[in-house]
Amino acid sequence: MVGDGSILITGGAGYIGSHTVLVLLENGYDIIVLDNLVNAWKDDSVQIPEVLQRVERLSGKKITFYQVDLVDKDGLSEVFKQHKIDCVIHFAALKAVGESCQEPLKYYSNNVSGSITLFKVMKEQNVKNLVYSSSSTVYGSPEYLPLCEKHPTGRTCTNPYGKSKYFVEEILRDLVTSDKGWNVISLRYFNPVGAHPSGDIGEDPTGTPNNLMPYVAQVAIGRRKELLVFGNDYDTPDGTGVRDYIHIMDLAEGHVVALQNLLKPSSTDRFNVFNLGTGRGYSVLEVINAFSEVSGRKINYRFVARREGDIAVSYCSPNLAKDSLGWTAKRGLKDMCEDMWRWQTKNPNGFNKDQQPSE
Amino acid sequence: MVGDGSILITGGAGYIGSHTVLVLLENGYDIIVLDNLVNAWKDDSVQIPEVLQRVERLSGKKITFYQVDLVDKDGLSEVFKQHKIDCVIHFAALKAVGESCQEPLKYYSNNVSGSITLFKVMKEQNVKNLVYSSSSTVYGSPEYLPLCEKHPTGRTCTNPYGKSKYFVEEILRDLVTSDKGWNVISLRYFNPVGAHPSGDIGEDPTGTPNNLMPYVAQVAIGRRKELLVFGNDYDTPDGTGVRDYIHIMDLAEGHVVALQNLLKPSSTDRFNVFNLGTGRGYSVLEVINAFSEVSGRKINYRFVARREGDIAVSYCSPNLAKDSLGWTAKRGLKDMCEDMWRWQTKNPNGFNKDQQPSE
């Protein structure tokens, strides 16, 4: 099942990265994690960040960890020289849409230049298997629903975060066209939520959460007073925005099957793109209600004006991943809320136990 | 007319860069040139490349030159710290379409990551006036003609060179949206040809020329046996591809008016895009015939199959630059050929007199 080399995970201390690392370890893969830790908490007295210590405990396996930034080409090369690497799963990126509009250069530098540097090192070291962490934001404003992989990309991306994901997909497309040695799968995530069922790892946003579910959870636990719902006049059943939420464990499992597919000796694919979503949309109010029910807490919320750049409805067709990878999301909204709530109640302030709750 | 600071020119030792530097010097601007010299010849015994020595002689002015690569952030910052810079004109880029398909990472790294690094340094040093060297390739395959600035970009770019130009335009668009201190003009060049009328500076392609006119000139001078004409079955009057050629001196003057516009105290524009072309298309055969007439030489050519990715016809509407900048191309095809031929005959092997002619 597993080759004799390791899987290198960039951004492996992040939300999606850490859950994927756990599932990969459970599947017998040897894992090397790179992370610059700008969004992960680490006690200076220990060698690896708290989240990966927990992943090690949950899996009973060891992780090789390097604190390296992707723009540090020499540091990156060194890691490749010290290990036999079969494949890279590239999560490392900044991901706050709002911040990307305020600081586009930071996003383009980290997400685009960082990826280019990674790909250059991979090419130099002859490691040409890659799973790329893309996003449904590359579709921009949907021309039709459900969003399938053939939907145009890039045309209506309204923020630098989404554009950075689109640019890197295009770079990868050109890369595999130029060199048939490359074998790349780009996974377009819809809206990852939830946590590992142990409640020991989960999303730990720094500052104000940018996404709905972590915000709802922080209101439920009393860390924030109320949720602002941006727009209740959309053309949707209850007027609030509809999104395709996917359980983080489904998403993590999607990476494992993508990796298996990529490393199959028979694999002749070179550049493939797959949506990872459930294919089912839930409105903001449905999420709030489900979370309220699961947690037994009242979620205070208030309707405010629409947020610029937000779209009414987004959900995917998950058929291609089902047909090609044999992968399908198994967990529903209730699982997402339950696991999220368990993580939140066990870790009201995230990974850093000394952290002061912030509003 | 001129501010008290300097104009920083990246890629100032290149074809378009060097002609622009000359015209800027003649207009009284103080010029600092950055170039990594990957495409410019320099005698190791002198401090600046041959082309800029000639520009100094032609203008009677001095140029401050630094051999710096844009990916070298520290080297770049140092230049900004040592000078008061009013504006950057950013030419530095790799530009061979064919090579960009074979080595996309090289192009994305140089053209995109290099630009991002430059913009980061500019932001840190609070230099936010920029003229960007874009290209008509951002339009991809024309949906209509003439190509005006509102034509969609990026959708059908078929090569990494063109995409790199498109990506950087998008990055600049996001940058000015995020920070009203920026003031950016992006100039979309059509097909620059010709040379300074002195014949002392001109295009000096390394290896096989990628563009028509330098190839024609090298056939005329006997450095190459024949010209391959890619396709004579296009839907054009004579079956060969039609392009909007623009004299390099017109193009250089376009940069001066763009710069003047940008530095006007009344300037409230923040991101503007202008085509720089004549608005008139010439076919490959028209160019060959004009060059043959001007040079008095027979140009051997042979028709071969179309080249993948090539389009039949491309020419611009130059009206926006005329209306907004008061700029219009003055020189015709005959001038382009005459000046090109003078450069070629005076410098059969380009800037390096010791260079062996290569086929």
Side-chain angles (χ1 to χ4, degrees):
Chain A
M1 179 189 65
V2 182
D4 55 345
S6 301
I7 310 301
L8 181 78
I9 317 278
T10 75
Y15 173 46
I16 307 176
S18 59
H19 287 79
T20 303
V21 167
L22 176 55
V23 180
L24 287 168
L25 288 170
E26 288 170 349
N27 278 270
Y29 289 95
D30 192 43
I31 299 298
I32 299 160
V33 167
L34 297 191
D35 205 295
N36 65 4
L37 299 183
V38 294
N39 280 324
W41 187 76
K42 183 175 164 299
D43 183 332
D44 285 342
S45 67
V46 289
Q47 205 261 323
I48 72 171
E50 175 68 17
V51 57
L52 294 182
Q53 291 182 50
R54 297 192 187 184
V55 169
E56 287 187 335
R57 279 203 296 276
L58 287 166
S59 64
K61 306 273 177 68
K62 281 285 166 195
I63 296 164
T64 306
F65 175 76
Y66 294 93
Q67 184 168 351
V68 176
D69 195 292
L70 290 191
V71 301
D72 171 15
K73 187 164 186 278
D74 294 339
L76 206 53
S77 296
E78 206 42 54
V79 175
F80 277 81
K81 282 176 194 155
Q82 285 178 19
H83 300 273
K84 182 180 179 310
I85 293 163
D86 286 336
C87 182
V88 174
I89 306 185
H90 175 33
F91 291 105
L94 296 172
K95 61 174 184 177
V97 169
E99 186 191 42
S100 81
C101 296
Q102 284 146 23
E103 299 195 60
L105 288 180
K106 186 171 157 186
Y107 275 69
Y108 287 120
S109 177
N110 268 276
N111 297 7
V112 180
S113 300
S115 296
I116 291 169
T117 302
L118 171 66
F119 304 155
K120 282 174 81 169
V121 170
M122 288 177 69
K123 187 184 167 189
E124 284 167 13
Q125 305 295 328
N126 203 31
V127 176
K128 295 181 176 177
N129 292 314
L130 174 76
V131 178
Y132 176 61
S133 177
S134 186
S135 165
S136 61
T137 54
V138 301
Y139 293 121
S141 186
E143 293 177 14
Y144 54 80
L145 291 166
L147 287 159
C148 72
E149 289 81 353
K150 290 198 163 77
H151 185 285
T153 53
R155 291 187 187 182
T156 56
C157 277
T158 51
N159 61 74
Y161 164 73
K163 278 194 209 167
S164 75
K165 291 286 169 186
Y166 163 66
F167 287 177
V168 173
E169 276 200 2
E170 291 298 302
I171 291 168
L172 288 170
R173 202 181 292 275
D174 290 335
L175 192 53
V176 295
T177 303
S178 75
D179 175 355
K180 303 204 189 316
W182 284 88
N183 202 352
V184 175
I185 289 182
S186 181
L187 299 175
R188 294 180 180 156
Y189 312 148
F190 280 67
N191 295 264
V193 294
H196 187 262
S198 65
D200 288 337
I201 60 171
E203 186 170 12
D204 185 19
T206 49
T208 309
N210 292 292
N211 300 315
L212 176 65
M213 187 84 86
Y215 209 111
V216 169
Q218 292 192 4
V219 173
I221 202 87
R223 191 164 152 189
R224 292 178 193 278
K225 280 200 196 92
E226 65 175 2
L227 170 75
L228 300 182
V229 178
F230 299 101
N232 64 342
D233 56 353
Y234 284 111
D235 184 19
T236 59
D238 64 24
T240 64
V242 169
R243 296 290 180 276
D244 186 335
Y245 297 96
I246 173 170
H247 195 293
I248 188 71
M249 294 306 293
D250 279 324
L251 196 72
E253 289 163 13
H255 287 77
V256 178
V257 295
L259 182 68
Q260 287 166 344
N261 195 274
L262 205 62
L263 297 181
K264 268 196 305 208
S266 63
S267 172
T268 55
D269 300 327
R270 288 161 46 216
F271 183 67
N272 280 294
V273 176
F274 298 105
N275 287 336
L276 293 186
T278 64
R280 161 90 159 89
Y282 290 99
S283 74
V284 175
L285 290 182
E286 284 178 293
V287 170
I288 292 173
N289 291 335
F291 206 93
S292 183
E293 192 159 316
V294 159
S295 63
R297 305 281 178 104
K298 185 172 183 316
I299 315 287
N300 293 318
Y301 65 86
R302 185 156 53 93
F303 291 122
V304 293
R306 293 182 184 190
R307 201 166 43 175
E308 202 185 311
D310 274 358
I311 55 184
V313 181
S314 170
Y315 58 91
C316 80
S317 162
N319 291 341
L320 189 63
K322 187 177 177 191
D323 296 343
S324 302
L325 302 175
W327 171 90
T328 192
K330 289 177 245 159
R331 299 159 181 91
L333 182 59
K334 190 156 175 279
D335 305 302
M336 300 177 202
C337 294
E338 280 175 357
D339 291 332
M340 183 77 191
W341 183 235
R342 190 175 304 108
W343 153 251
Q344 187 67 62
T345 46
K346 280 181 85 166
N347 306 274
N349 297 319
F351 288 111
N352 179 359
K353 296 180 199 80
D354 305 326
Q355 183 180 267
Q356 294 302 312
S358 64
E359 173 92 17
Chain B
M1 179 188 64
V2 180
D4 56 342
S6 301
I7 310 301
L8 182 78
I9 318 278
T10 75
Y15 173 45
I16 307 177
S18 59
H19 286 78
T20 302
V21 167
L22 175 55
V23 180
L24 287 168
L25 288 169
E26 289 171 348
N27 277 270
Y29 289 96
D30 192 42
I31 300 297
I32 298 160
V33 167
L34 296 190
D35 205 295
N36 65 4
L37 299 184
V38 295
N39 280 324
W41 187 75
K42 181 174 163 300
D43 183 334
D44 286 342
S45 67
V46 288
Q47 204 260 324
I48 71 171
E50 174 68 18
V51 58
L52 294 181
Q53 292 182 50
R54 295 192 188 185
V55 169
E56 287 188 336
R57 279 203 297 275
L58 286 167
S59 63
K61 306 271 176 70
K62 281 287 167 194
I63 296 165
T64 306
F65 174 76
Y66 293 93
Q67 183 168 353
V68 175
D69 196 291
L70 290 191
V71 300
D72 171 14
K73 187 164 186 279
D74 295 338
L76 206 52
S77 296
E78 207 40 56
V79 175
F80 277 81
K81 281 175 195 156
Q82 284 178 19
H83 300 273
K84 178 177 184 312
I85 294 164
D86 287 335
C87 182
V88 174
I89 306 184
H90 175 34
F91 292 104
L94 296 171
K95 61 173 185 177
V97 169
E99 186 192 43
S100 81
C101 296
Q102 285 147 24
E103 299 196 60
L105 289 179
K106 187 171 155 186
Y107 274 69
Y108 286 120
S109 177
N110 269 275
N111 296 7
V112 180
S113 301
S115 296
I116 291 169
T117 303
L118 171 67
F119 304 156
K120 283 173 80 170
V121 171
M122 288 176 68
K123 187 184 166 186
E124 284 167 14
Q125 305 294 329
N126 203 32
V127 176
K128 296 181 174 176
N129 293 314
L130 174 76
V131 177
Y132 176 60
S133 178
S134 186
S135 165
S136 60
T137 54
V138 301
Y139 294 120
S141 187
E143 294 178 12
Y144 54 81
L145 290 167
L147 288 158
C148 71
E149 288 82 354
K150 291 198 160 76
H151 185 284
T153 54
R155 293 188 184 181
T156 56
C157 276
T158 52
N159 61 73
Y161 164 73
K163 279 194 209 164
S164 74
K165 290 286 166 184
Y166 163 66
F167 288 178
V168 174
E169 275 199 1
E170 291 298 302
I171 291 168
L172 288 171
R173 203 181 292 276
D174 291 336
L175 191 53
V176 295
T177 303
S178 74
D179 175 355
K180 302 203 189 317
W182 285 87
N183 202 353
V184 175
I185 289 181
S186 181
L187 299 175
R188 294 181 180 156
Y189 312 148
F190 279 68
N191 296 263
V193 295
H196 186 262
S198 67
D200 288 339
I201 61 171
E203 186 170 12
D204 184 19
T206 49
T208 309
N210 292 292
N211 301 317
L212 176 64
M213 188 82 87
Y215 210 111
V216 169
Q218 292 192 4
V219 173
I221 201 88
R223 190 164 153 189
R224 294 179 192 276
K225 280 201 197 92
E226 63 174 4
L227 169 76
L228 300 182
V229 177
F230 298 103
N232 63 340
D233 56 352
Y234 284 110
D235 185 17
T236 58
D238 63 24
T240 64
V242 169
R243 295 290 180 276
D244 186 336
Y245 297 96
I246 173 171
H247 195 293
I248 187 71
M249 294 306 294
D250 279 324
L251 195 72
E253 289 163 12
H255 287 77
V256 178
V257 295
L259 181 69
Q260 288 165 344
N261 194 274
L262 205 62
L263 296 182
K264 266 197 305 211
S266 63
S267 173
T268 55
D269 300 327
R270 287 163 46 218
F271 184 65
N272 279 295
V273 176
F274 298 105
N275 287 335
L276 293 186
T278 65
R280 160 92 160 86
Y282 288 99
S283 75
V284 175
L285 290 183
E286 284 177 293
V287 170
I288 293 173
N289 290 336
F291 205 93
S292 183
E293 191 159 317
V294 159
S295 64
R297 306 279 179 106
K298 186 174 183 313
I299 315 287
N300 292 316
Y301 65 87
R302 186 157 52 93
F303 292 121
V304 294
R306 293 181 185 191
R307 202 164 44 176
E308 202 185 310
D310 275 357
I311 53 182
V313 181
S314 171
Y315 58 93
C316 79
S317 163
N319 291 340
L320 189 63
K322 188 179 174 188
D323 296 342
S324 302
L325 303 175
W327 171 90
T328 193
K330 289 178 246 158
R331 299 159 180 93
L333 182 59
K334 190 156 174 278
D335 305 303
M336 301 177 201
C337 294
E338 280 174 356
D339 291 332
M340 183 77 190
W341 183 236
R342 190 174 304 109
W343 153 252
Q344 187 69 62
T345 46
K346 281 182 84 167
N347 307 274
N349 298 319
F351 288 111
N352 180 359
K353 296 181 199 79
D354 306 328
Q355 184 181 266
Q356 295 301 312
S358 65
E359 172 92 17

